[in-house]
Amino acid sequence: MPLNIKKSDFVKSASKPSQYPPTSHPEFFFAGKSNSGKSSMLNAICNRKKLAITSKTPGRTQLINFFLINDCISFVDIPGYGYANTSKKISAAWNDMILNYLASERNIVSMFMAVDIRRGIEELDKKMINLTSSYNININIIITKSDKVSKVKRIEAKREIENELTNFKNVKNIHIFSSKSKEGIKDILEIIEKFSL
């Protein structure tokens, strides 16, 4: 049975562990390349339009954002990666920020990675999967923006991604999603419910 999200609140933004809000709740973090639809996905599953900041300009999420769901689950929106205009200094800061988050002593149980259906899995995505897998965190691939392509293309895209990720053992689920049509929301909420028990 999918999770019923009745309450979702922004807690705080942070760039380093000393700034993280304390919690013992199961934590799910949302990752993806810049402009992959990650923040829109978070808003859609929470049924909130502006819980997570979205922008047509890639690279807008510069801090780690923490949210409290139903007073018993933590969602975390991490900055998008791979934005072409990002300087080397900012890229290095991003790497440190994410490594510190993954290495922190929080109850991280699963990652949702947004992958634009028109891009497919790219090398940076695989690096993020490998990094997350090294911390033994379960990974769910969410193929976003499915409303942008035909049903046949959606099936083809999912099959291609499944083939690309055959050898990635920590990838547990691959689902097609659209924040506009609401396709896939139930799948994500069922995963959260399962890992929250």
Side-chain angles (χ1 to χ4, degrees):
M1 187 174 180
L3 176 72
N4 181 15
I5 295 181
K6 298 178 179 179
K7 185 180 179 184
S8 52
D9 299 300
F10 170 74
V11 179
K12 70 179 300 189
S13 298
S15 62
K16 54 188 177 181
S18 63
Q19 299 171 342
Y20 296 168
T23 183
S24 58
H25 303 315
E27 191 153 277
F28 300 83
F29 76 96
F30 294 75
K33 289 189 70 175
S34 295
N35 209 24
S36 63
K38 168 178 59 69
S39 296
S40 294
M41 173 174 64
L42 201 159
N43 287 336
I45 66 173
C46 292
N47 198 27
R48 295 274 301 274
K49 289 185 177 181
K50 296 181 180 180
L51 182 66
I53 298 171
T54 62
S55 174
K56 291 183 179 179
T57 304
R60 277 293 176 89
T61 305
Q62 300 293 338
L63 296 170
I64 299 175
N65 296 308
F66 293 84
F67 305 89
L68 183 60
I69 308 301
N70 289 353
D71 293 326
C72 62
I73 297 171
S74 178
F75 282 0
V76 179
D77 185 13
I78 69 171
Y81 50 85
Y83 178 43
N85 290 344
T86 301
S87 68
K88 289 183 178 180
K89 184 177 180 180
I90 292 175
S91 293
W94 185 95
N95 287 331
D96 289 343
M97 194 186 306
I98 302 311
L99 284 169
N100 287 336
Y101 171 68
L102 291 173
S104 63
E105 295 183 0
R106 300 180 71 81
N107 187 19
I108 304 172
V109 294
S110 196
M111 172 178 78
F112 288 97
M113 174 182 280
V115 176
D116 189 322
I117 197 165
R118 299 164 298 179
R119 295 180 187 171
I121 291 287
E122 298 179 303
E123 284 307 307
L124 283 174
D125 297 314
K126 290 181 180 179
K127 287 181 179 179
M128 188 67 194
I129 291 170
N130 279 322
L131 176 61
T132 306
S133 296
S134 68
Y135 289 92
N136 200 31
I137 296 169
N138 291 313
I139 298 164
N140 309 286
I141 306 299
I142 308 301
I143 308 170
T144 59
K145 306 185 182 183
S146 66
D147 55 280
K148 303 289 186 181
V149 302
S150 67
K151 187 175 181 179
V152 171
K153 291 288 186 182
R154 292 201 291 272
I155 294 170
E156 290 176 354
K158 184 179 180 183
R159 187 181 299 121
E160 288 175 7
I161 289 173
E162 286 172 343
N163 290 337
E164 284 268 346
L165 301 179
T166 299
N167 296 323
F168 291 84
K169 303 305 180 186
N170 274 50
V171 174
K172 304 301 182 184
N173 299 283
I174 300 175
H175 291 294
I176 292 174
F177 175 86
S178 167
S179 59
K180 288 187 177 180
S181 71
K182 310 303 181 186
E183 179 182 19
I185 289 179
K186 182 180 177 182
D187 296 318
I188 295 174
L189 293 174
E190 284 178 346
I191 294 167
I192 296 169
E193 176 71 20
K194 175 183 174 183
F195 284 118
S196 299
L197 297 176

